[in-house]
Amino acid sequence: MGRGKIVIKRIDDSTSRQVTFSKRRKGLIKKAKELSILCDAEVGLIIFSNTDKLYDFASSSMKSAIERFNKTKMEQQQLLNPASEVMFWQREAATLRQELYSLQENHRRQLMGEQLNGLSVNDLHKIESTLEMSLRGIRMKKEQMLTDEIKELTKKRNLIHDENVELSRKVQRIHQENVVLHKKAYATSSKNGLGLGELEDAADESHAQVRLQLSQPEQSCYDSPSKS
């Protein structure tokens, strides 16, 4: 006669229950190994006894099996509920933003000489090198800005100088024209019987109203700031 069908229910006798647990546990682990080998399947088996004792088996590693299980379970839930996928990525993005902010804030404080506890000598050397590179970049930018400002001022100065030279030439021409007019007026006055003194007084009074005194600035050179 064959064995009778066993009723699946809790075994009341603690000794029998423990013996059954030990036998079936070993058989279950054996079948899990066979399944992973025969079917090239990734198997993860976790068993807790009624005394909270842990038994486990994994064909690769338990961590890998659990991570794969969580990922697959989450993907299945997202397929069933597309809105949950959006919420998931929103939470992921918020978490990444917070982590990035924390890293940037920690890096900023370390560059300011704060929160250096726990850093090794190598870490401090890297921070020091970063600061030196930053200072070199800042100095180069400052020198470039000063050089550009000096070039711009030199350009404006040259324009003003050229304008001043041109105005001086115009004044010189006006002065020469006044001299010519003065001579012509003197010749005419001689014919009309006017005295030379009266003519010169009139000419001086007229010249005093229009005479311009301009001085040409001396040429000067601007040197670029020496690099610090």
Side-chain angles (χ1 to χ4, degrees), residues 31-32 59 97 105 149 151 159 178 189-190 192 195 202 213 225:
K31 290 184 178 296
S59 57
R97 282 195 297 268
E105 182 66 17
E149 289 180 4
K151 289 181 179 179
L159 289 175
N178 287 339
S189 63
S190 297
N192 294 333
Q213 297 294 335

Side-chain angles (χ1 to χ4, degrees), residues 18 21-26 28-29 44-58 62:
Q18 183 61 34
F21 173 79
S22 179
K23 289 182 179 181
R24 289 183 176 264
R25 173 181 59 81
K26 293 178 181 179
L28 186 60
I29 292 176
L45 177 64
I46 300 175
I47 302 173
F48 286 99
S49 68
N50 62 348
T51 57
D52 291 333
K53 191 172 181 179
L54 171 64
Y55 303 90
D56 65 284
F57 165 77
M62 186 58 68

Side-chain angles (χ1 to χ4, degrees), residues 74 77-89 91:
M74 185 168 50
Q77 291 176 352
Q78 291 171 358
L79 291 175
L80 295 175
N81 186 8
S84 64
E85 182 178 5
V86 176
M87 294 178 61
F88 168 77
W89 289 116
R91 289 194 299 268

Side-chain angles (χ1 to χ4, degrees), residues 49-175:
S49 68
N50 62 348
T51 57
D52 291 333
K53 191 172 181 179
L54 171 64
Y55 303 90
D56 65 284
F57 165 77
S59 57
S60 57
S61 71
M62 186 58 68
K63 180 180 179 182
S64 174
I66 293 175
E67 289 178 351
R68 185 174 180 181
F69 168 80
N70 291 331
K71 181 180 179 181
T72 304
K73 191 70 175 179
M74 185 168 50
E75 290 175 350
Q76 290 176 350
Q77 291 176 352
Q78 291 171 358
L79 291 175
L80 295 175
N81 186 8
S84 64
E85 182 178 5
V86 176
M87 294 178 61
F88 168 77
W89 289 116
Q90 288 176 345
R91 289 194 299 268
E92 286 292 311
T95 301
L96 291 175
R97 282 195 297 268
Q98 183 62 35
E99 291 178 356
L100 178 61
Y101 173 78
S102 299
L103 290 174
Q104 290 176 339
E105 182 66 17
N106 185 54
H107 183 65
R108 183 190 67 82
R109 291 182 178 179
Q110 289 179 348
L111 291 178
M112 295 295 293
E114 303 174 359
Q115 294 185 349
L116 300 178
N117 293 333
L119 296 180
S120 64
V121 175
N122 189 32
D123 293 333
L124 295 175
H125 179 70
K126 290 180 180 179
I127 294 175
E128 184 180 13
S129 299
T130 301
L131 288 173
E132 290 177 352
M133 292 178 61
S134 299
L135 285 175
R136 283 196 296 269
I138 292 171
R139 291 192 184 105
M140 291 177 62
K141 182 63 176 179
K142 182 183 71 174
E143 291 175 2
Q144 183 62 42
M145 292 177 66
L146 291 175
T147 301
D148 293 342
E149 289 180 4
I150 289 175
K151 289 181 179 179
E152 185 65 24
L153 291 174
T154 303
K155 183 178 179 181
K156 291 181 180 179
R157 171 201 164 279
N158 292 334
L159 289 175
I160 294 174
H161 175 75
D162 294 340
E163 291 176 358
N164 197 9
V165 169
E166 184 63 25
L167 287 174
S168 298
R169 291 174 180 171
K170 290 181 180 180
V171 170
Q172 187 66 25
R173 286 197 300 269
I174 293 173
H175 177 69

